[in-house]
Amino acid sequence: MSEWWASIPVFEKVFWYLAIPSTVVFMIQLFLTFFGLGEGTADVDSMDGGFDLDADGDGFIESAFNFFTIRNFIIFFTVFGWSGIAFSDMGFSEVSTIVISSVLGIIVMLIVAALFYFIMNLASSGNIDLNNSIGATGSVYIPIPAKGKGTGKVQILIQDSLKEVEAITKGKAISTGERVKVLEILDNNILVVEILNN
């Protein structure tokens, strides 16, 4: 194993250093998503300037096309790393390897961002009665400040549709990814939630 690693050029080793950890994190995210444990972590810390808007004032957050997210960066480095290894092994020049791997990574990022955009918009269609969320559980998407001092966002399944809804808590602050239960609905369509006891 050590002989094999020593035989790899330094340039290609950089791609291995990117590919392995990115792939591990990607597989963990995939596992959590499939088993319903990671719905609150998929787009955490999106860096698109906050384009998720409650355009019609119904309390629901309309999905935007989020390109710069942690999930997408992990996907980029996964694709960039493995394609870099492949093109380097095929004898491509260093510049060609970097350019082609970068283009492939960006293309896959665009595809994934588009898929999430259409899925979230599809889920947000139809008439949803927010009162049906009382007693339901979900995950914190944007951290919720303590004692009603500000709103965060939760992702919650209402009438078989995954929705992003503004929420407050009357207790301690709730961080991203925490499971919560809906206690009541305020007049301005903001959920009151509490941490779900395990």
Side-chain angles (χ1 to χ4, degrees):
M1 181 71 176
S2 59
E3 293 179 1
W4 167 78
W5 181 250
S7 68
I8 297 176
V10 174
F11 176 73
E12 187 177 326
K13 283 181 179 177
V14 173
F15 290 102
W16 281 100
Y17 285 130
L18 292 172
I20 297 298
S22 298
T23 301
V24 170
V25 175
F26 173 72
M27 295 303 293
I28 291 171
Q29 281 189 330
L30 200 61
F31 174 83
L32 293 176
T33 300
F34 276 128
F35 287 91
L37 303 173
E39 66 265 52
T41 62
D43 271 330
V44 175
D45 294 335
S46 67
M47 292 168 277
D48 60 355
F51 292 116
D52 289 337
L53 303 175
D54 179 12
D56 52 10
D58 62 357
F60 298 127
I61 308 301
E62 305 301 328
S63 293
F65 189 85
N66 295 321
F67 183 69
F68 296 108
T69 65
I70 291 175
R71 179 196 62 239
N72 283 353
F73 279 119
I74 291 169
I75 289 169
F76 172 82
F77 284 116
T78 301
V79 174
F80 179 79
W82 289 115
S83 58
I85 292 168
F87 291 124
S88 181
D89 282 343
M90 287 189 285
F92 282 67
S93 70
E94 293 184 1
V95 173
S96 297
T97 299
I98 292 172
V99 170
I100 297 172
S101 298
S102 297
V103 170
L104 287 175
I106 291 170
I107 288 172
V108 175
M109 281 178 70
L110 281 168
I111 291 171
V112 172
L115 284 173
F116 272 83
Y117 172 75
F118 288 119
I119 289 171
M120 290 303 295
N121 279 337
L122 183 63
S124 65
S125 61
N127 295 322
I128 301 295
D129 184 356
L130 201 55
N131 289 313
N132 291 329
S133 68
I134 296 176
T137 61
S139 295
V140 175
Y141 180 76
I142 300 295
I144 304 172
K147 301 185 183 300
K149 293 181 179 178
T151 62
K153 296 179 190 175
V154 296
Q155 287 187 331
I156 193 162
L157 198 64
I158 309 172
Q159 297 173 211
D160 296 323
S161 293
L162 184 64
K163 308 294 291 185
E164 291 174 19
V165 190
E166 289 188 281
I168 65 167
T169 184
K170 295 179 179 178
K172 65 179 183 178
I174 307 176
S175 58
T176 297
E178 291 277 5
R179 301 289 296 175
V180 294
K181 180 179 180 180
V182 179
L183 300 178
E184 60 179 300
I185 315 296
L186 301 182
D187 291 338
N188 51 357
N189 287 328
I190 294 177
L191 305 182
V192 178
V193 300
E194 67 177 2
I195 296 179
L196 189 63
N197 294 323
N198 295 324

